[in-house]
């Protein structure tokens, strides 16, 4: 009996979902095609009907919207925001936590993949660059929105690919610096003992909160001068 027209797209999504979880957990180099297909509940032979090789698969994962944050984390952030909490502080507390350190497959792809993608092909590096740019752009938008910067879009979905507009350059620079700090802290924390990891995470959380508070004050002062 022939497969339905929907079979191939559904199979591709199964492979992408399995690969995304494995890439986040084990990195790029340590994941094999056999592992991906086994995770998806499929045989290796079916892989090449969808992808040329592992790099092609990785690029497809990014293009499919490789989420930097899991659904539970995004739900907690939305809850904190509705309750009037500071989004950046809540984000730092969730990102720089032992739960994130100990469950890489449920967390951000950047700490796990950064070092390994640098040794892979150009297409994978370009796809990973897009992932970093998207993350920093959305963080910049959140920083600017919290400072009530005039003209900032009010209804951007952080899980979508919508283009963010009217974000001042300073916020983009701050977002990249903050993202680099947090990703670096996670990488270090996963490489050391528990006591050292706790120190690294606590220091990074403090630095992010301090950095954000200072930049927020500075940003509002600049805005008041221009109004």
């Amino acid at each position: 009996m022939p497969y339905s027209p929907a079979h191939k797209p559904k199979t591709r999504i199964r492979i992408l979902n399995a690969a995304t979880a494995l890439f986040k957990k084990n990195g790029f180099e340590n994941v094999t095609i056999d592992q991906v297909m086994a995770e998806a509940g499929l045989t290796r032979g079916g892989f090449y009907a969808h992808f040329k090789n592992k790099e092609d698969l990785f690029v497809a994962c990014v293009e499919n919207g490789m989420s930097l944050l899991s659904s539970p984390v995004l739900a907690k952030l939305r809850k904190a925001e509705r309750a009037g909490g500071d989004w950046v502080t809540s984000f730092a507390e969730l990102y720089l936590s032992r739960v994130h350190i100990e469950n890489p497959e449920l967390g951000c792809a950047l700490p796990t993949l950064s070092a390994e993608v640098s040794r892979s092909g150009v297409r994978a590096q370009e796809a990973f660059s897009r992932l970093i740019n998207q993350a920093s752009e959305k963080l910049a938008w959140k920083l600017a929105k919290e400072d009530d910067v005039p003209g900032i879009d009010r209804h951007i979905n952080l899980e979508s690919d919508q283009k963010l507009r009217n974000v001042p350059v300073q916020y983009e620079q701050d977002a990249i610096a903050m993202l680099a700090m947090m990703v670096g802290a996670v990488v270090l924390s996963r490489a050391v003992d528990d006591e050292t990891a706790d120190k690294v995470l606590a220091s990074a959380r403090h630095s992010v909160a301090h950095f954000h508070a200072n930049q927020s004050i500075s940003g509002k002062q600049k805005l008041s001068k221009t109004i």
Side-chain angles (χ1 to χ4, degrees):
M1 182 176 180
Y3 290 122
S4 69
H7 176 76
K8 188 170 183 178
K10 287 182 178 179
T11 301
R12 180 183 172 88
I13 291 297
R14 283 173 63 184
I15 297 171
L16 289 173
N17 289 341
T20 295
L22 288 172
F23 282 141
K24 284 185 176 184
K25 182 178 182 179
N26 301 322
F28 181 78
E29 292 186 348
N30 293 325
V31 172
T32 67
I33 291 173
D34 285 337
Q35 289 173 328
V36 170
M37 297 305 281
E39 182 72 15
L42 301 165
T43 60
R44 180 188 176 94
F47 177 86
Y48 297 99
H50 302 274
F51 309 101
K52 295 178 181 177
N53 49 40
K54 190 171 73 171
E55 184 178 14
D56 190 40
L57 170 63
F58 177 75
V59 172
C61 285
V62 174
E63 292 174 346
N64 187 56
M66 181 183 281
S67 176
L68 294 182
L69 296 172
S70 64
S71 295
V73 170
L74 288 167
K76 289 179 181 178
L77 285 173
R78 287 192 290 267
K79 183 178 179 180
E81 197 168 19
R82 286 196 298 269
D86 179 87
W87 188 92
V88 174
T89 300
S90 299
F91 174 56
E93 289 176 350
L94 289 166
Y95 195 97
L96 299 166
S97 67
R98 290 301 296 270
V99 173
H100 187 195
I101 300 304
E102 295 168 0
N103 298 278
E105 71 278 11
L106 301 177
C108 177
L110 300 185
T112 309
L113 295 170
S114 294
E116 294 189 342
V117 173
S118 67
R119 298 190 293 270
S120 62
V122 174
R123 290 186 66 228
Q125 292 175 12
E126 290 176 346
F128 195 61
S129 296
R130 290 198 298 273
L131 204 60
I132 293 173
N133 289 330
Q134 290 168 6
S136 61
E137 286 173 2
K138 290 177 181 179
L139 180 55
W141 176 75
K142 291 298 293 187
L143 293 174
K145 185 172 181 289
E146 287 202 345
D147 280 355
D148 295 321
V149 172
I152 292 297
D153 300 298
R154 295 291 173 176
H155 302 291
I156 295 294
N157 180 358
L158 288 184
E159 300 163 69
S160 76
D161 292 327
Q162 287 176 273
K163 180 64 179 175
L164 309 181
R165 301 184 297 276
N166 305 319
V167 178
V169 174
Q170 183 60 48
Y171 285 96
E172 294 179 0
Q173 295 172 344
D174 294 343
I176 291 172
M178 189 178 293
L179 185 64
M181 183 192 307
M182 291 193 292
V183 170
V186 172
V187 171
L188 290 177
S189 297
R190 287 178 176 163
V192 297
D193 58 63
D194 290 350
E195 183 179 355
T196 304
D198 288 338
K199 289 180 181 178
V200 171
L201 294 173
S203 296
R205 285 194 299 268
H206 175 77
S207 295
V208 168
H210 181 70
F211 176 81
H212 175 50
N214 288 343
Q215 292 306 103
S216 180
I217 292 172
S218 174
K220 288 176 180 177
Q221 288 175 341
K222 290 178 182 177
L223 285 173
S224 66
K225 292 179 181 179
T226 59
I227 296 174

